[in-house]
């Protein structure tokens, strides 16, 4: 599940994740991401990983969406994403509840490394 308010970023992320072998769901803000996550959970499905844009002007960003996702699934693997490297969450994502950071603009190789590291043994079904 990828959440970003920028349609171009969502499109690029979806294409890169598809190239890496993942099925992708997209959300425009944190509220929509939480809704999609809740629906998947209610249907007995699980997202292998969630990528949340840290800030969404005028909407719910990753910082605000994370507690809602973890309330639904405390084992959720959530990666924070941003184009601004100065936020303290990006320096210490685990301290703030995120599994890792992926910076924008996305790089296919780096995105793949982050996902491999976060997903570990690859036992999860590939859906992001």
């Amino acid at each position: 599940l990828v959440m970003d308010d920028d349609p171009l970023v969502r499109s690029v992320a979806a294409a890169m994740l598809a190239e890496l072998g993942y099925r992708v769901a997209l959300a425009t803000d944190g509220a929509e991401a939480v809704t999609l996550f809740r629906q998947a959970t209610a249907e007995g499905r699980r997202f292998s990983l969630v990528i949340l844009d840290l800030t969404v002007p005028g909407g719910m960003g990753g910082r605000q969406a994370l507690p809602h996702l973890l309330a639904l699934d405390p084992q959720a693997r959530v990666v924070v994403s941003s184009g601004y490297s100065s936020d303290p969450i990006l320096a210490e994502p685990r301290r703030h509840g995120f599994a890792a950071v992926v910076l924008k603009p996305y790089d296919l190789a780096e995105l793949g490394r982050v996902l491999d590291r976060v997903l570990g043994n690859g036992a999860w079904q590939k859906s992001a």
Side-chain angles (χ1 to χ4, degrees):
L1 172 61
V2 176
M3 181 278 286
D4 198 288
D5 62 310
D6 185 321
L8 181 58
V9 172
R10 285 193 309 273
S11 176
V12 168
M16 287 183 168
L17 289 165
E19 178 71 21
L20 293 169
Y22 293 88
R23 291 188 323 255
V24 183
L26 301 171
T28 59
D29 65 16
E32 184 179 11
V34 170
T35 297
L36 292 173
F37 194 90
R38 182 180 295 116
Q39 288 172 345
T41 302
E43 294 169 4
R45 295 181 295 114
R46 180 177 203 180
F47 288 107
S48 300
L49 185 118
V50 179
I51 299 174
L52 296 176
D53 187 10
L54 183 59
T55 57
V56 173
M60 180 190 289
R63 178 188 332 259
Q64 296 82 18
L66 179 65
H68 297 283
L69 299 180
L70 294 177
L72 292 166
D73 180 359
Q75 302 304 312
R77 295 173 183 186
V78 184
V79 173
V80 64
S81 174
S82 182
Y84 306 103
S85 59
S86 62
D87 193 291
I89 289 176
L90 303 178
E92 296 183 278
R94 289 185 175 274
R95 183 168 169 246
H96 297 277
F98 293 97
V101 173
V102 63
L103 294 177
K104 296 185 266 185
Y106 296 137
D107 172 81
L108 183 62
E110 178 62 16
L111 184 61
R113 282 190 290 275
V114 169
L115 270 59
D116 285 347
R117 187 173 69 246
V118 171
L119 296 175
N121 61 18
W124 291 46
Q125 177 183 359
K126 285 189 169 186
S127 64

